[in-house]
Amino acid sequence: MLSGRTYERTATAATTDCASVTQGALGSVLSSNGCRQVLRATYVRDGVAVTVGVAVFDTKAAADKAKAQSAGNIEALPGDGTAAFCRATACRLTTNAEGRYAYFTVAGNADNRPVSADDTAALNAGRDISTYAFGRVLARGRAAAAAAAASSVTH
């Protein structure tokens, strides 16, 4: 549950061909900054679908640079019960970076209708899933730091 709202995950995918799962100039931005992998997941709630794409880089500097240069966006990932959405229509986008990860969301109507300027459902969905991705990235970083600290302790 995110911000009091429940989402159903309908699809996941991973690729090392980072540019292949983007729209517009984002593919070249990810490639030129050394993207290693993109992990995508789609979530649906009340007729709104949102895909989050997490791009993995070797360094925080590369992820931050990809965020700063971002243009275009991650390609929406259709899945179980979710048809293609955010294809040649208005949708809501978010971009952020944390550590060596940059992440992007694209949120819109699950039936591919354009998102209007005053539509808050897609906006909320994009924000919710972006916040969720941020939390997951932080948790992963904390776990890695704890594991590194534990392995460096000598007796």
Side-chain angles (χ1 to χ4, degrees):
M1 183 174 300
L2 305 166
S3 301
R5 295 179 282 273
T6 302
Y7 293 84
E8 176 188 1
R9 186 172 65 197
T10 61
T12 60
T15 183
T16 56
D17 183 359
C18 300
S20 71
V21 293
T22 65
Q23 294 178 340
L26 185 59
S28 62
V29 168
L30 296 182
S31 296
S32 68
N33 286 293
C35 179
R36 299 283 182 200
Q37 181 179 33
V38 174
L39 309 162
R40 290 184 301 160
T42 295
Y43 298 86
V44 177
R45 179 181 187 277
D46 294 340
V48 173
V50 58
T51 295
V52 60
V54 179
V56 182
F57 297 89
D58 288 337
T59 65
K60 176 181 179 358
D64 288 344
K65 192 172 177 185
K67 174 192 171 190
Q69 295 175 342
S70 71
N73 204 38
I74 205 72
E75 185 175 82
L77 176 67
D80 294 340
T82 308
F85 65 100
C86 291
R87 300 280 201 252
T89 189
C91 287
R92 299 285 189 161
L93 312 174
T94 68
T95 302
N96 208 345
E98 178 62 36
R100 64 187 192 108
Y101 305 95
Y103 52 98
F104 311 87
T105 66
V106 56
N109 294 306
D111 63 4
N112 203 43
R113 285 181 298 111
V115 174
S116 65
D118 61 346
D119 183 333
T120 58
L123 178 65
N124 288 337
R127 287 179 179 165
D128 288 347
I129 299 304
S130 182
T131 300
Y132 173 72
F134 178 76
R136 298 290 296 178
V137 166
L138 282 180
R140 182 179 174 98
R142 287 184 189 122
S151 69
S152 68
V153 174
T154 58
H155 295 284

